[in-house]
Amino acid sequence: MLFGKKKSVAGLDVGSSSIKVVELDGKVNSLNLVSLGFENLPDDTVVDGQIMELNSVSEVIQNVCKDHQIKSNQVVTSVSGHSVIIKNIILPQMSREELEESIDWHAEEHIPYDLSDVSLDYHVTDEDEESTQVLIAACKRERLDNIKQAIQLSGKQPMVIDVDTFALQNCYEVNYQPDESQVVTLLNIGASTMNVNIVKGSNSLFTRDITVGGSQFTDILQRSLGFSFQQAEAVKRGVADAVEDLDEKAIEPLMNNVTEMVAMEIQKTFDFYRATTEDDEIAVEKILISGGGSKLVGLAEDLSSRLELPVEVLDPFRQIKVDTRKFDPDYLSEIMPEMAVAVGLAIRGVELK
Ligand SMILES: Nc1ncnc2c1ncn2[C@@H]1O[C@H](COP(=O)(O)OP(=O)(O)OP(=O)(O)O)[C@@H](O)[C@H]1O
Ligand SMILES: [Mg+2]
């Protein structure tokens, strides 16, 4: 564009419990927060990552964008869960043309779906004289069509469809500028999915999406104590007087059961990762947590002691300038964990300018 400033593309995170949207401007090393929106979705509109109620999801997207004056008509969004397959594969050294020609054939054995049903993307992460390391990401087409449809119905255009776990990594890299040797685990605990990404510097070593999240804590309260969804959510969030004559003692063991399962799944991920690497020098320094599910009181401390690793809350606005006259700092710090993926997507949106 010759005249005028080109607008950034907004980051839109369609979660299973809520929609988050973030608009940034500036350059990647000097970003400003322009807009931010967060709105809950009605229950059961997104199930197992699939948008079941296209109209109600698109309506929420439309409202949240209108209420927060999102200027861009284009968005960067993302998918996660079962339909997304991410693998680091090592291939013999080859030219980019040879790789382009043979990638489907190489990727096929790593993807549990028919290749004609998926959209495949890849990226060379490292190479030497003998080998080429390639990160492949595949997603079921029906899942991509599903999210595209919901966004288009809202009047926006999905320009890029990324993966939650890489958006999270983008958010981490820009905000933390890690040393190339630093190994951390990014852990995003959503409502229905937990994204785990073991990152060394700016390289992803291993990722796994686990279908466990904050809603498991709510479910167990509903099932074991007969609460409604709203009551269970309120009790979980520690809202006073959420339920009459609440038996506090009954709650703790139920929450502990779920925390134990969450910790076990993370431990399993570390074990899977160790089984795939020959480099036993790599040790995770700490876990950076995000996602609404990470806000459960005591969860970070509990995971830290169970996994014997420091657990810190990821700050998605660490390097982003925020005008406190426009954005209430208390509100921002309250919703900070939920915004990590959307910020990562918005950063991608700035890069597209
Ligand atoms: N204060 C809190 N205490 C405990 N849990 C909370 C709190 N606030 C939000 N949550 C939980 O966080 C979860 C929502 O988090 P988030 O917005 O990151 O998920 P999502 O992006 O909608 O879902 P997903 O990524 O799994 O599709 C819900 O399970 C909600 O109950
Ligand atoms: Mg999410």
Side-chain angles (χ1 to χ4, degrees):
M1 189 185 268
L2 196 53
F3 299 106
K5 234 168 89 187
K6 223 172 148 187
K7 280 186 220 118
S8 301
V9 175
L12 176 72
D13 174 12
V14 181
S16 56
S17 71
S18 60
I19 304 280
K20 296 86 160 168
V21 61
V22 172
E23 203 165 34
L24 301 172
D25 75 5
K27 297 228 161 53
V28 170
N29 53 6
S30 129
L31 292 164
N32 304 298
L33 179 63
V34 178
S35 320
L36 165 137
F38 178 0
E39 200 166 312
N40 287 327
L41 286 168
D43 294 353
D44 294 329
T45 43
V46 180
V47 179
D48 284 337
Q50 183 80 11
I51 302 170
M52 309 303 275
E53 307 289 340
L54 283 168
N55 287 326
S56 49
V57 171
S58 72
E59 211 172 289
V60 175
I61 297 175
Q62 202 168 36
N63 290 342
V64 79
C65 289
K66 201 166 115 225
D67 294 349
H68 299 276
Q69 286 126 33
I70 299 297
K71 295 186 210 92
S72 172
N73 280 325
Q74 292 172 317
V75 297
V76 179
T77 191
S78 57
V79 285
S80 68
H82 284 317
S83 0
V84 184
I85 310 291
I86 297 159
K87 290 267 161 67
N88 270 305
I89 59 174
I90 300 177
L91 301 176
Q93 210 290 321
M94 61 178 84
S95 71
R96 291 303 144 99
E97 291 74 28
E98 284 171 315
L99 180 62
E100 174 66 28
E101 271 171 27
S102 62
I103 189 70
D104 282 7
W105 185 75
H106 289 297
E108 200 165 19
E109 65 172 298
H110 301 278
I111 297 170
Y113 307 117
D114 201 298
L115 268 197
S116 58
D117 294 336
V118 302
S119 178
L120 177 72
D121 205 353
Y122 67 95
H123 171 68
V124 175
T125 51
D126 202 5
E127 61 189 326
D128 56 30
E129 277 151 28
E130 280 167 14
S131 62
T132 313
Q133 267 198 45
V134 185
L135 181 72
I136 55 171
C139 181
K140 279 200 150 180
R141 271 188 226 281
E142 58 184 32
R143 181 83 182 77
L144 297 174
D145 292 342
N146 177 245
I147 193 161
K148 265 190 215 162
Q149 251 182 314
I151 293 173
Q152 283 166 342
L153 267 175
S154 78
K156 299 282 179 198
Q157 280 305 321
M159 204 174 175
V160 172
I161 304 183
D162 201 339
V163 176
D164 282 12
T165 207
F166 293 147
L168 185 65
Q169 187 182 336
N170 218 5
C171 176
Y172 160 70
E173 277 172 34
V174 168
N175 281 294
Y176 288 79
Q177 294 156 7
D179 291 345
E180 274 316 297
S181 61
Q182 199 174 12
V183 183
V184 304
T185 294
L186 307 176
L187 171 67
N188 184 55
I189 309 178
S192 61
T193 306
M194 199 157 78
N195 320 105
V196 189
N197 190 347
I198 306 174
V199 182
K200 182 180 183 190
S202 50
N203 267 335
S204 169
L205 300 174
F206 192 79
T207 69
R208 182 168 171 241
D209 280 359
I210 304 155
T211 39
V212 170
S215 58
Q216 254 75 18
F217 291 96
T218 315
D219 282 353
I220 204 167
L221 293 178
Q222 282 184 261
R223 273 188 286 113
S224 309
L225 304 175
F227 295 161
S228 68
F229 173 78
Q230 279 74 15
Q231 285 174 322
E233 273 289 316
V235 168
K236 180 178 87 167
R237 295 180 191 213
V239 176
D241 306 327
V243 174
E244 259 179 63
D245 303 324
L246 181 66
D247 179 7
E248 301 268 359
K249 278 202 236 74
I251 293 170
E252 205 182 308
L254 296 172
M255 297 284 103
N256 274 338
N257 281 348
V258 183
T259 303
E260 192 178 335
M261 179 173 72
V262 168
M264 223 169 62
E265 287 296 342
I266 301 166
Q267 187 56 54
K268 247 198 301 192
T269 311
F270 290 155
D271 296 342
F272 284 151
Y273 165 61
R274 279 195 204 99
T276 64
T277 179
E278 284 158 12
D279 191 349
D280 48 10
E281 293 289 289
I282 291 179
V284 174
E285 245 173 66
K286 62 180 168 192
I287 298 179
L288 284 173
I289 51 167
S290 58
S294 72
K295 285 159 61 168
L296 183 73
V297 174
L299 182 66
E301 295 76 8
D302 208 339
L303 289 179
S304 174
S305 71
R306 285 173 198 260
L307 298 162
E308 297 178 343
L309 276 173
V311 175
E312 268 175 39
V313 177
L314 181 129
D315 179 359
F317 303 108
R318 195 170 184 253
Q319 295 288 336
I320 296 175
K321 273 191 225 86
V322 177
D323 181 349
T324 50
R325 287 166 305 180
K326 197 170 158 202
F327 301 98
D328 174 9
D330 291 340
Y331 176 65
L332 213 59
S333 70
E334 189 193 319
I335 62 158
M336 178 179 96
E338 281 99 330
M339 301 313 286
V341 168
V343 169
L345 295 171
I347 294 171
R348 185 86 194 269
V350 169
E351 291 164 348
L352 290 171
K353 247 203 306 196

